Amino acid sequence: IIEIGQPEHSLVTTCAYCGVGCSFKAEMRGDELVRMLAYKDGKANHGHSCVKGRFAYGYANHGDRILNPMIREKTSDPWREVSWEEALSHVASEFRRLQYQHGRESIGVITSSRCTNEETFLVQKLARAVFGNNNTDTCARVCHSPTGYGLGQTFGTSAGTQDFDSVEQSDVILVIGANPTDGHPVFGSRLKKRIRQGAKLIVIDPRRIDLVRTPHVEAAHHLPLRPGTNVAVLTSLAHVIVTETLYDEAFIRERCDWDEFQDWAEFVSREENSPETVGALSGVDPEEIRGAARLYATGGNGAIYYGLGVTEHSQGSTTVMAIANLAMATGNLGRPGVGVNPLRGQNNVQGSCDMGSFPHEFPGYRHVSIDEVRESFEKIWGVSLNDEPGLRINNMLDAAVEGSFKGIYIQGEDILQSDPDTHHVAAGLAAMECVVVHDLFLNETANYAHVFLPGSTFLEKDGTFTNAERRINRVRKVMTPRAGYADWEVTQEIANAMGANWTYTHPSQIMAEIALTTPSFTGVTYELLDEKGSIQWPCNDKAPEGTPIMHVDGFVRGKGKFIRTEYVATDERTGPRFPLLLTTGRILSQYNVGAQTRRTANSVWHEEDRLEINPIDAEVRGVKDGDWVRIASRAGETSLRALITDRVVPGVVYTTFHHPSTQANVVTTDYSDWATSCPEYKVTAVQISPSNGQ
Ligand code: SF4
């Protein structure tokens, strides 16, 4: 029994874990957080919560928090605590020195999908308006950047089309590359409820996730495809829809370009996309492909939900476009119960992308080379801006190894643990002269840092997060920043130490600037958010109350665009040396690399990662349940305990990546999405063998 004491007052705020964006009542006694209660009026969660949002906030007061800025000359030196003034002045002078010695492009920033919209807006502004380059990227690069590209090309904007409530009117739910009951638990429960009410479920996933078969829920079709064959399977669904004339001609003629559709229809109808050919390639029963296609096209309102099993592939962007093609071909867009819905992993992936974190786009997804857009920012910011796209994370690391990139400011992101090909990340960081890590804890990346700036938790600041349904939710300051500054204040101090004159005194002023510069946010104010509880963008003159469902009367780009989605096999191939395919995911109680969840006092947050192995693969290698196994790929090797299960098919192994000791990214490769460089985390050819755990 835990004695929690009586709360004295409360504030409504937003969970800082996944992209569902649940609202919570933070109950406090003085400046102490007593408990978090799911908020019944929260429009994303309607009073529900999962174990993470409800209980995993203890990290905010954990003893591992670093509360003083620290500096060291070399990464082999011990850290030296310094004042904020000294740390900020050191960062500014180092960044200016590097630009003087190595050029304007020699430094950059990485923003975080964990931080608020306002903080993210300021970090990309720091790069563009103060550094004078567009070297800004976001950790969304390594998760949903293909969503940005794929939906931008087909529909005209990078965003889920529906609100979560829309699922109440879905008749067919297609889940691909996502495991909502673990990754997005509150929405996962909602999916289960809808399926229990009679909606039909199609799951496309190499693994038998819980949704496939759980009490009172059973998928009508599970397509356990071989990792890396998403595009082939989705195009084969389209083959069935076109060759059996199951498409919605009226919708296509009205909302899309009929000639483009016909060109696409000719392509998908080819024999190479038939269920038999694709079945042989992907390992999926051709009759399951046919059944799934018929159900999706003719079963009523069809909604697609997808996750990182779609995006984190060498054809991630192509897969997103293949999903969009299916929805357009069947008319499953622009009304309740249908749509294309990326399930965002982190709390503010949507917002991080919206706020212009990518090196080629200003806030609102507008390319830096568009003169009128750039000039509008120049007028408001009072500086001239660079019209060339900057460097992506991987380009920054490559340039560092080559010697032209020298300094980086990383806010709220542990790139050493999160990004693929750990050895290359380490080499890039080690080659830089000034690595500034701004975070809660001394994370793995901080091993390569010269400056550490203490970060603030979501409980210590005001701001907003935007969830997977484009809902802008308020984050409210529940306690005083333990290190003295909220993250947005630190960015402002760096900018001003480098010569800017930013004068924000509250994040609401940053939101006012976002509204001034970003067409989909022009109607957003803190007053409106307080009045409505939350708002879904676009919120502007045309939609002053926000927009629950996108593309109702027409696509943002005008006509929806059908794009041929040729299947191209990844270069990551199995062979005699590495005969198995490794893919990865999450469990409900943990969150990403576990920096927060592992620092919460409850044993559920300390379970180790396991490697799931099919009994057939385990037997031939002499591996038993609970044994240590060595996993080797061409990139590296690590060891994990085995979990023998038929959740994975023979030839496929699976692990989560919540513990640093797992080192899953030591084995992932440097292959990435052709359009966005999103890493191919989901396909790694490996071999496994018994190990002693060393
Ligand atoms: Fe937080 Fe996501 Fe759980 Fe909601 S479902 S409480 S947003 S982790």
Side-chain angles (χ1 to χ4, degrees):
I1 297 171
I2 301 170
E3 178 57 57
I4 58 171
Q6 286 305 306
E8 293 167 348
H9 56 115
S10 66
L11 277 174
V12 175
T13 191
T14 304
C15 178
Y17 285 112
C18 85
V20 177
C22 297
S23 296
F24 279 87
K25 223 157 96 172
E27 294 193 336
M28 292 166 293
R29 194 173 45 240
D31 208 22
E32 180 196 356
L33 180 61
V34 174
R35 65 183 171 187
M36 296 280 275
L37 289 180
Y39 184 50
K40 70 176 173 37
D41 293 331
K43 289 182 181 154
N45 58 318
H46 302 290
H48 296 280
S49 72
C50 83
V51 66
K52 292 189 287 281
R54 175 81 171 82
F55 297 112
Y57 55 83
Y59 67 89
N61 286 319
H62 196 278
D64 287 352
R65 282 281 300 273
I66 303 293
L67 301 177
N68 291 302
M70 302 189 295
I71 292 178
R72 56 186 175 182
E73 303 310 315
K74 299 195 295 290
T75 54
S76 54
D77 292 343
W79 284 108
R80 179 168 63 88
E81 285 190 2
V82 296
S83 66
W84 273 106
E85 291 70 26
E86 183 178 345
L88 294 165
S89 146
H90 179 75
V91 170
S93 69
E94 277 294 278
F95 281 169
R96 282 297 184 222
R97 175 184 70 80
L98 292 172
Q99 288 195 299
Y100 180 73
Q101 292 178 346
H102 303 282
R104 192 173 61 173
E105 305 293 329
S106 64
I107 62 174
V109 300
I110 296 177
T111 70
S112 172
S113 301
R114 310 301 317 281
C115 292
T116 63
N117 286 316
E118 293 76 1
E119 286 164 345
T120 307
F121 183 85
L122 285 199
V123 174
Q124 61 88 35
K125 181 176 175 180
L126 176 71
R128 300 188 201 282
V130 181
F131 293 0
N133 61 41
N134 289 315
N135 292 339
T136 170
D137 210 350
T138 161
C139 56
R141 164 77 53 210
V142 301
C143 63
H144 267 288
S145 51
T147 290
Y149 185 84
L151 296 186
Q153 293 289 308
T154 48
F155 299 161
T157 193
S158 165
T161 61
Q162 311 296 119
D163 57 353
F164 289 144
D165 289 351
S166 168
V167 78
E168 305 293 341
Q169 296 176 61
S170 297
D171 302 306
V172 179
I173 295 166
L174 192 165
V175 175
I176 172 167
N179 183 7
T181 53
D182 280 277
H184 304 84
V186 165
F187 186 65
S189 296
R190 206 153 176 196
L191 285 177
K192 285 204 285 193
K193 180 176 160 207
R194 183 66 196 142
I195 295 158
R196 282 197 294 268
Q197 288 170 341
K200 298 281 185 285
L201 173 68
I202 301 164
V203 173
I204 305 178
D205 200 288
R207 189 164 165 265
R208 199 184 67 235
I209 59 171
D210 276 347
L211 272 182
V212 172
R213 199 175 311 127
T214 195
H216 311 295
V217 171
E218 182 153 5
H221 300 280
H222 174 212
L223 280 53
L225 76 182
R226 184 175 164 81
T229 59
N230 284 334
V231 169
V233 170
L234 289 166
T235 306
S236 194
L237 295 182
H239 175 98
V240 176
I241 289 166
V242 168
T243 56
E244 297 187 9
T245 327
L246 305 178
Y247 52 84
D248 184 339
E249 182 171 338
F251 179 92
I252 298 164
R253 283 189 181 278
E254 185 193 336
R255 302 288 302 276
C256 307
D257 183 307
W258 182 250
D259 290 339
E260 280 176 357
F261 167 74
Q262 287 186 306
D263 177 70
W264 173 80
E266 182 277 319
F267 159 70
V268 301
S269 302
R270 293 177 188 170
E271 171 55 29
E272 71 208 41
N273 296 315
S274 70
E276 281 67 31
T277 306
V278 170
L281 174 86
S282 64
V284 178
D285 179 348
E287 283 313 306
E288 287 295 314
I289 294 177
R290 281 203 178 80
R294 289 168 186 154
L295 177 59
Y296 175 68
T298 65
N301 286 338
I304 301 177
Y305 296 89
Y306 72 86
L308 303 184
V310 158
T311 54
E312 291 177 342
H313 289 271
S314 60
Q315 281 203 291
S317 292
T318 315
T319 314
V320 173
M321 293 188 285
I323 289 171
N325 288 339
L326 280 181
M328 288 188 290
T330 53
N332 275 313
L333 286 158
R335 63 179 190 278
V338 297
V340 172
N341 302 287
L343 294 171
R344 312 289 188 157
Q346 295 181 311
N347 51 320
N348 201 33
V349 172
Q350 181 69 57
S352 181
C353 301
D354 299 341
M355 292 299 106
S357 298
F358 289 125
H360 65 294
E361 287 175 336
F362 286 116
Y365 304 100
R366 292 159 300 157
H367 202 276
V368 294
S369 65
I370 302 171
D371 290 342
E372 61 174 352
V373 175
R374 200 175 57 258
E375 284 160 16
S376 70
F377 279 93
E378 287 176 336
K379 203 164 149 203
I380 291 162
W381 290 350
V383 293
S384 11
L385 296 170
N386 196 318
D387 63 357
E388 293 279 331
L391 299 174
R392 298 171 175 177
I393 294 175
N394 53 316
N395 302 136
M396 293 184 207
L397 293 166
D398 291 345
V401 171
E402 286 158 13
S404 60
F405 190 85
K406 296 291 183 180
I408 194 163
Y409 169 46
I410 306 170
Q411 186 180 76
E413 168 70 350
D414 187 357
I415 60 170
L416 192 72
Q417 206 181 334
S418 305
D419 284 33
D421 199 355
T422 305
H423 297 311
H424 182 60
V425 179
L429 289 168
M432 295 184 207
E433 292 181 24
C434 185
V435 174
V436 180
V437 169
H438 183 185
D439 217 312
L440 303 175
F441 307 105
L442 274 174
N443 58 24
E444 301 296 307
T445 306
N447 291 326
Y448 293 84
H450 304 88
V451 180
F452 186 89
L453 302 175
S456 50
T457 68
F458 76 111
L459 298 167
E460 296 162 41
K461 57 200 175 191
D462 279 299
T464 54
F465 294 148
T466 305
N467 76 355
E469 48 167 0
R470 295 169 282 103
R471 185 179 299 285
I472 307 162
N473 278 311
R474 275 284 272 119
V475 177
R476 291 185 174 85
K477 184 172 158 186
V478 169
M479 54 176 73
T480 307
R482 290 188 63 205
Y485 282 124
D487 296 344
W488 64 269
E489 293 174 296
V490 175
T491 309
Q492 170 159 274
E493 293 297 326
I494 294 172
N496 288 346
M498 292 183 74
N501 183 27
W502 296 0
T503 56
Y504 309 105
T505 57
H506 189 268
S508 59
Q509 296 166 338
I510 306 171
M511 179 55 80
E513 189 170 311
I514 295 167
L516 191 65
T517 54
T518 311
S520 48
F521 275 68
T522 54
V524 181
T525 64
Y526 274 33
E527 291 73 25
L528 190 61
L529 289 167
D530 288 344
E531 182 194 324
K532 301 276 181 201
S534 60
I535 305 166
Q536 289 171 275
W537 69 257
C539 174
N540 47 30
D541 284 350
K542 284 189 201 151
E545 302 280 309
T547 309
I549 296 175
M550 300 273 295
H551 316 299
V552 170
D553 299 317
F555 288 101
V556 169
R557 72 180 300 281
K559 295 277 189 189
K561 186 172 182 60
F562 283 93
I563 297 175
R564 287 177 177 227
T565 53
E566 307 251 6
Y567 167 68
V568 179
T570 170
D571 287 335
E572 180 68 357
R573 309 275 165 90
T574 53
R577 216 171 134 216
F578 302 117
L580 304 171
L581 285 175
L582 169 71
T583 190
T584 59
R586 305 178 188 172
I587 57 170
L588 188 154
S589 59
Q590 283 284 10
Y591 184 76
N592 284 3
V593 297
Q596 283 87 19
T597 43
R598 284 186 293 103
R599 289 186 171 93
T600 299
N602 187 317
S603 60
V604 76
W605 282 293
H606 298 278
E607 290 165 7
E608 61 189 1
D609 296 314
R610 294 287 194 103
L611 184 74
E612 294 188 1
I613 309 170
N614 185 275
I616 294 169
D617 290 325
E619 188 177 354
V620 295
R621 289 168 177 80
V623 174
K624 297 198 177 49
D625 201 50
D627 283 357
W628 281 99
V629 288
R630 171 180 166 271
I631 317 165
S633 74
R634 65 181 177 82
E637 61 179 66
T638 187
S639 291
L640 277 174
R641 280 190 197 279
L643 177 68
I644 312 297
T645 172
D646 63 0
R647 269 180 180 274
V648 289
V649 294
V652 174
V653 291
Y654 166 92
T655 186
T656 51
F657 45 75
H658 302 303
H659 290 264
S661 60
T662 300
Q663 295 198 309
N665 285 331
V666 167
V667 293
T668 53
T669 71
D670 56 358
Y671 293 129
S672 61
D673 175 45
W674 62 272
T676 66
S677 305
C678 181
E680 188 168 55
Y681 290 118
K682 300 298 183 191
V683 188
T684 307
V686 297
Q687 177 59 292
I688 60 171
S689 54
S691 144
N692 61 5
Q694 299 305 307

